[in-house]
Each structure stands twice: as C-alpha cells, then as structure tokens.
Amino acid sequence: MFPQENHSNGYQQGPGVGYSHRERVRRGTRRSRASTSSVRVYDQHQPQHRPPCTDFDVAYFHSYAHLGIHQEMIKDRVRTETYRDAIMQHQSSIAGKVVVDVGCGTGILSIFCAQAGAKRVYAIDASDIALQANEVVKANNLSDVIVVLHGRVEDVEIDEEVDVIISEWMGYMLLYESMLGSVINARDRWLKPGGLILPSSATLYMAPVTHTDRYSDSVDFWRNVYGIDMSAMVSLAKQCALEEPSVETITGENVLTWPHVVKYIDSYSCYRPRS
C-alpha cells in the first residue's frame, strides 16, 4: 500500500526505543507513519533479516538525546550550510519527490528538503530527539510534508519507494559511529533505481599536521602549574592528546605534506558485509 497524499505527521517507535544518540557518537533509524496526531508504536522484536539492537546501539541512541550534541553540529556552519547548499543545488531532483532523512536529529535537513519542495520527507531517528524534531516540524507548519519516525532505520517501515536519501552520517575518521550501514540499509530497502543519495560519495584523507598552540596548551601546560613542577604529567598528556580525537580548523601552513587518500566510498555501490 502507498500512503495517502495528505497525511498527518506521526512518529513510530521501533526496537529498543526510549534511547537516543550522538556526542560525537551516533545514530540510525527508520519508520512508518501514523494517523492524525498519533504516535505509531512498532514491535521491537525484529524479524530474522533485521540486525538486533545491541547495548552499544542503545548507548549510542541515548547519547544523541542530549541537545548539546545537536547544537554543536548545527553551529558548525561549514557542515550545515554545505548540506543546505547541496539540497538547493539538487532542488530539481527533490521538488515533488519523496525523501528519507536517515538519523534526522533535530530535523533540520528534513526541513531544508521541505523548503526545496519535497512532496514528503520521512525523518527517521532512533534517539528521543525525534520527539523534539516532531515538535519543530509542527512549529514550522510542515506536518503535512515531514513524517517523523522514531526508531532504528533497520526496524521502521515505509510503504513506498523514495527518490532521495539524505544523511549526515560521517563521524570521526569518517566511519566512526558505524552509521553508514544504516544509509546502505535505507538505500537497499527503499531507494528507487536512479535515485539520489546525498552525500553521493566520501573520501577520507590523512596528513601529518603541526599545531604548536594546541601542543603548548595540552602538553607544555603541565611543565609548570602555578609554580609547581608537574612535568611528570607530560607523558600522560601526550598520550591523551594522541588518543583523543579533536575537531579543529587549521591553516594550510599547519599541514606538513600533501594529504593521502585512505578510503573512498561511493554511496551508490558500497555494501555492508554480512555478519
């Protein structure tokens, strides 16, 4: 069955719901919709073709329920404006079409798609942030376009094929958070032949960099703390600095060599190995 053209917004709960996700840890989800102003609850006991919801998944989804994570992402103007620009540049492929937003968070990308003229947007997120996303959708009078589905992509049901899949799935070192698998799942389940995926590809580069100010702040700081010799902490400070990821903007002068391509991913042809 295919959904009616004029339908109300709803969210459904899928397996392992009640938890959410991202700090940069991150997400996944899929779902069907409900009748007027109703919440659709889905059976969390997955059929055999659906991967189980693990404790890691639950912790991941739970982390993305925190508003600070989403505020951090939205305030990243390079990230957010690049997505908005890409959506508007592909407006001819989005206007009048059906879109799935995998891991919708606050729903900002779904709203951009609605502004680009999408006929319907399925905004999916397993995190409880989906509840707030639904309120954002209603506040912007987009409930007739955007359907918020609360649950994992692997568990939700959509009763039609889609023309476009959009997702901000990238994590640290591109693949951290393992969210690409959810995009692949959405692609294989719902995307029409010739459909659009944003982003269509991704490339991971690696290059050595220097950052003297950060080194001084993180490591040299311990050499003299309020006149006390704490240089015994330097070794641990170096270890922590190397182990923990850091998202920063640096200048070209900080990059010591030409970047090397570590991994190229084509969103249309990559696949998820079967366990």
Side-chain angles (χ1 to χ4, degrees), residues 216-263:
S216 175
D217 184 62
S218 301
V219 178
D220 287 339
F221 163 81
W222 292 103
R223 300 187 189 280
N224 187 317
V225 182
Y226 294 100
I228 300 171
D229 181 358
M230 288 196 173
S231 56
M233 304 293 290
V234 168
S235 178
L236 179 59
K238 289 181 179 179
Q239 179 181 341
C240 292
L242 292 173
E243 289 179 347
E244 298 175 358
S246 176
V247 178
E248 299 183 33
T249 300
I250 61 174
T251 65
E253 289 76 15
N254 291 121
V255 183
L256 301 178
T257 68
W258 287 104
H260 174 74
V261 175
V262 176
K263 183 67 177 179

Side-chain angles (χ1 to χ4, degrees), residues 131-195:
L131 305 178
Q132 279 69 49
N134 190 64
E135 296 304 311
V136 172
V137 168
K138 290 193 290 186
N140 286 273
N141 300 314
L142 291 172
S143 296
D144 59 336
V145 176
I146 300 175
V147 181
V148 179
L149 304 178
H150 186 188
R152 296 195 311 158
V153 170
E154 291 74 13
D155 305 319
V156 303
E157 299 296 338
I158 292 178
D159 298 328
E160 61 181 326
E161 291 185 315
V162 305
D163 304 282
V164 181
I165 292 175
I166 189 166
S167 178
E168 206 285 82
W169 55 265
M170 293 80 71
Y172 292 133
M173 295 296 288
L174 185 61
L175 296 173
Y176 181 73
E177 295 181 15
S178 303
M179 189 181 161
L180 178 59
S182 294
V183 176
I184 294 171
N185 187 290
R187 179 198 69 192
D188 294 346
R189 292 179 66 190
W190 301 313
L191 188 65
K192 292 179 180 178

Side-chain angles (χ1 to χ4, degrees), residues 33 51 82 87 94 120 141-142 201 249 251 253 256 273 275:
R33 43 200 186 138
T82 296
I87 289 168
I94 294 174
R120 180 156 45 256
N141 300 314
L142 291 172
S201 63
T249 300
T251 65
E253 289 76 15
L256 301 178
S275 56

Side-chain angles (χ1 to χ4, degrees), residues 99-121:
V99 179
V100 163
D101 180 359
V102 177
C104 68
T106 57
I108 190 169
L109 299 187
S110 296
I111 292 175
F112 287 160
C113 288
Q115 292 174 340
K119 177 177 72 173
R120 180 156 45 256
V121 181

Side-chain angles (χ1 to χ4, degrees), residues 3 7-14 17 30-44 122 147-151 156-159:
H7 59 281
S8 64
N9 186 53
Y11 27 98
Q12 44 191 91
Q13 289 198 345
V17 183
R30 304 193 177 43
R31 226 107 319 348
S32 71
R33 43 200 186 138
S35 58
T36 308
S37 301
S38 64
V39 177
R40 207 177 270 191
V41 179
Y42 287 78
D43 185 357
Q44 301 254 0
Y122 292 98
V147 181
V148 179
L149 304 178
H150 186 188
V156 303
E157 299 296 338
I158 292 178
D159 298 328

